[in-house]
Amino acid sequence: MPKPSRRWRDLGKPKLTEIFIRWSLYLTGLLQPLLLGGALSGQKEKELPGAVAIAVVAASLASTALFIVCCRTGLAHYLGRRARPTGWLAAFSAGTLAGYWVFLGAGHPTVEEPVPAGVATATWLLVFWFAPLAIALPVKASAPLGLAGLAVSVPVAVLAGVPAGAAVGLAVGAGIAMAMVGATWRGSAWIVAVVWELDAAREAQARLAVAEERLRFSRDLHDVLGRNLTTIALKSELAVQLARRGRTEAADQMVEVQRIAQESQREVREVVRGYRTADLAAEVAGARSVLRAAGVECEIDLGPDAAALPAVAQSVLGWVVREATTNVLRHSEAAHCTVTLRLDGGHVRLEVENDGVTERTAGREQPGTGLLGLRERLAAHGGGLALPAPGAGRFRLTASLPLALPALEVAAP
């Protein structure tokens, strides 16, 4: 069986947000070899031989690869998907330390150049080293590590021949950059986590709504059947005792049991009918609330004729609104949705349109079971459902229903 294709827009907003931020962090690591290349171009051949330069570039590329791996595993740890990548962080720190020492020894201060490019590059390597740590480690651990790295860089730079003032200036500049990078990366990871939490909350809200409706239905059934079934059991037991004694009252008790059973059957039908009946005003209000909670702007225009529609017409159109709202939430990435109701001659037309058609939705050849059931419900009253092909990212559902009384006398089964 062929696997379904994973289109870009089918990934969902949380996944797309994570991919965008993740690759933004990865691309930041490419600045490291560019920075090192610039430093190498400023070195004299006698100070940094060609073989050493090649080795430094290779080490820089390896460090960039470790940088990306640490970003990937660190973000996965921040999102709670894996354990902290201590081994990768240690390897990356060791590689950064080796590059630090190489560049410290690559330059010698002169009067014209008191701070060689190699020493400046070595200090700024600390910024790239701190970035993955800001995500993978808590702030109370990453901040002291960053400060320790800056504190050590000052005396090491002085030992390499850099003036003390210049060494402190390099450390301060690197410290400001580390704080900015750390806050940016930590904030980016936090945004990804919040987006996933909001998506999970949205799914939980939908599940809770279903569970609440089930509880309401079960409560109504319990209220209807609980007392009647208890009465039936007691009267049946009484009829058995009377029958054993040869009393004629046993027949009266069984007649009463029959009456209560028929009454219970009628009450259950009313509960189920109320459960399956949709009210247009209630469904429209619920659709507006649910869509706005999901971040979809909703405009509803029912006109002055909605309240004058027959009760059965309002019930059928309420089902249309309910199913259309479900489709918008489940099968689209809509930002805007409109619901419009108008009288057109002897028909009432309800249109629900949204702007969130995905490639997967547009490629569906057949409507889903919900739309098929909706079409059958409308057909039972002489109505119809129109689903034109999506265009320009928009999808419109049009339900029509005749206002002639014969078509609205009997509710849909």
Side-chain angles (χ1 to χ4, degrees):
M1 182 177 179
K3 295 183 179 180
S5 60
R6 292 181 60 84
R7 301 179 184 272
W8 178 255
R9 295 192 63 183
D10 293 340
L11 296 177
K13 292 181 180 178
K15 187 63 177 179
L16 290 176
T17 302
E18 179 180 344
I19 291 175
F20 173 77
I21 291 181
R22 183 185 294 275
W23 280 96
S24 299
L25 302 183
Y26 292 168
L27 293 176
T28 305
L30 298 179
L31 295 176
Q32 180 175 340
L34 295 178
L35 180 63
L36 299 184
L40 288 177
S41 63
Q43 297 293 326
K44 297 178 181 180
E45 185 177 357
K46 64 178 183 179
E47 296 176 346
L48 196 61
V52 177
I54 294 175
V56 170
V57 171
S60 172
L61 295 177
S63 177
T64 302
L66 284 175
F67 178 92
I68 294 176
V69 172
C70 290
C71 292
R72 180 177 181 273
T73 55
L75 183 59
H77 168 70
Y78 185 89
L79 298 176
R81 299 172 183 170
R82 58 159 295 162
R84 180 175 289 113
T86 306
W88 288 114
L89 293 176
F92 178 62
S93 299
T96 302
L97 180 62
Y100 183 77
W101 283 107
V102 168
F103 275 89
L104 277 181
H108 304 286
T110 62
V111 176
E112 296 80 8
E113 189 183 21
V115 182
V119 177
T121 302
T123 305
W124 285 97
L125 282 178
L126 296 176
V127 178
F128 291 95
W129 164 72
F130 183 73
L133 269 64
I135 295 180
L137 299 177
V139 177
K140 62 181 180 181
S142 61
L145 283 177
L147 292 176
L150 292 173
V152 172
S153 69
V154 175
V156 172
V158 172
L159 291 177
V162 178
V168 172
L170 284 174
V172 171
I176 295 175
M178 288 171 64
M180 296 175 61
V181 169
T184 302
W185 282 50
R186 190 81 177 181
S188 299
W190 177 79
I191 290 175
V192 175
V194 168
V195 170
W196 279 113
E197 289 178 4
L198 290 176
D199 185 69
R202 180 178 176 180
E203 293 182 359
Q205 183 180 16
R207 290 195 298 268
L208 287 174
V210 174
E212 182 179 359
E213 184 63 18
R214 289 175 178 174
L215 287 175
R216 184 194 70 80
F217 185 63
S218 62
R219 182 176 63 249
D220 291 345
L221 284 180
H222 177 270
D223 294 341
V224 169
L225 294 179
R227 175 180 57 83
N228 290 349
L229 290 178
T230 301
T231 304
I232 289 174
L234 292 176
K235 285 188 173 293
S236 299
E237 183 179 357
L238 178 58
V240 170
Q241 297 296 332
L242 293 174
R244 288 176 178 175
R245 299 175 185 176
R247 303 281 296 274
T248 58
E249 292 86 345
D252 297 334
Q253 295 297 325
M254 293 308 300
V255 170
E256 184 66 14
V257 168
Q258 182 183 18
R259 185 192 66 78
I260 296 175
Q262 292 174 346
E263 180 68 17
S264 299
Q265 190 177 27
R266 182 186 62 79
E267 291 179 351
V268 169
R269 288 198 189 100
E270 291 180 355
V271 171
V272 174
R273 186 180 301 113
Y275 179 74
R276 298 182 62 185
T277 299
D279 179 70
L280 179 59
E283 292 300 330
V284 166
R288 179 189 287 111
S289 176
V290 171
L291 290 174
R292 288 181 177 176
V296 181
E297 182 182 355
C298 185
E299 293 184 7
I300 296 177
D301 182 12
L302 300 182
D305 305 314
L309 293 175
V312 178
Q314 294 196 35
S315 176
V316 176
L317 294 177
W319 278 104
V320 174
V321 174
R322 180 184 297 184
E323 179 62 26
T325 304
T326 302
N327 288 339
V328 171
L329 293 176
R330 294 181 59 186
H331 304 301
S332 77
E333 297 290 344
H336 187 269
C337 180
T338 60
V339 180
T340 308
L341 185 142
R342 289 291 182 269
L343 293 182
D344 183 10
H347 289 72
V348 56
R349 299 186 184 278
L350 179 68
E351 290 187 356
V352 182
E353 184 176 2
N354 71 86
D355 61 353
V357 176
T358 62
E359 294 293 335
R360 178 179 56 188
T361 304
R364 292 171 64 185
E365 298 180 356
Q366 298 292 337
T369 55
L371 293 178
L372 290 176
L374 195 60
R375 179 169 288 165
E376 294 173 357
R377 185 183 296 273
L378 288 165
H381 298 283
L385 185 67
L387 300 172
R394 304 189 70 84
F395 181 81
R396 183 173 68 254
L397 179 151
T398 303
S400 62
L401 196 65
L403 295 178
L405 290 178
L408 299 176
E409 287 179 352
V410 183

